[in-house]
Amino acid sequence: MPNTMSQPTSTSSPLRFDNRVAIVTGAGAGLGRAHALALAARGAKVVVNDMGNPQAVVDEIVAAGGQAMGFAGSVTDAEAMQRMADETMAR
């Protein structure tokens, strides 16, 4: 079967997320961290959510010139997620 997906060319511009906010859950480590860093590198303002301490990833994003805030809380806690959304919107 032929590959029908378009491939990026050297003339295409990279995907950017400037003026966008990305909430990344599980961003304190592993794939979540990798996604948070990648989104920040492409211009997104990142909310680093993790049940543990998200501050190390926030610090890493800020040190690289990005914008981020941390929020410690579980996605299974609806009230905590509402607070995260409210704090994000207030910024």
Side-chain angles (χ1 to χ4, degrees), residues 29-51:
L31 288 174
R33 176 183 169 273
H35 290 134
L37 295 173
L39 287 162
R42 292 179 179 263
K45 299 172 186 175
V46 180
V47 179
V48 179
N49 168 249
D50 198 76
M51 288 178 30

Side-chain angles (χ1 to χ4, degrees), residues 10-11 15 31 39 42 64 68 79 89 91:
S10 60
T11 60
L15 183 61
L31 288 174
L39 287 162
R42 292 179 179 263
E79 290 178 6
M89 296 296 290
R91 289 187 144 210

Side-chain angles (χ1 to χ4, degrees), residues 23 66 70:
I23 296 175

Side-chain angles (χ1 to χ4, degrees), residues 32-75:
R33 176 183 169 273
H35 290 134
L37 295 173
L39 287 162
R42 292 179 179 263
K45 299 172 186 175
V46 180
V47 179
V48 179
N49 168 249
D50 198 76
M51 288 178 30
N53 183 0
Q55 194 59 47
V57 178
V58 170
D59 293 344
E60 194 172 351
I61 290 169
V62 171
Q67 296 181 45
M69 66 174 265
F71 188 88
S74 171
V75 295

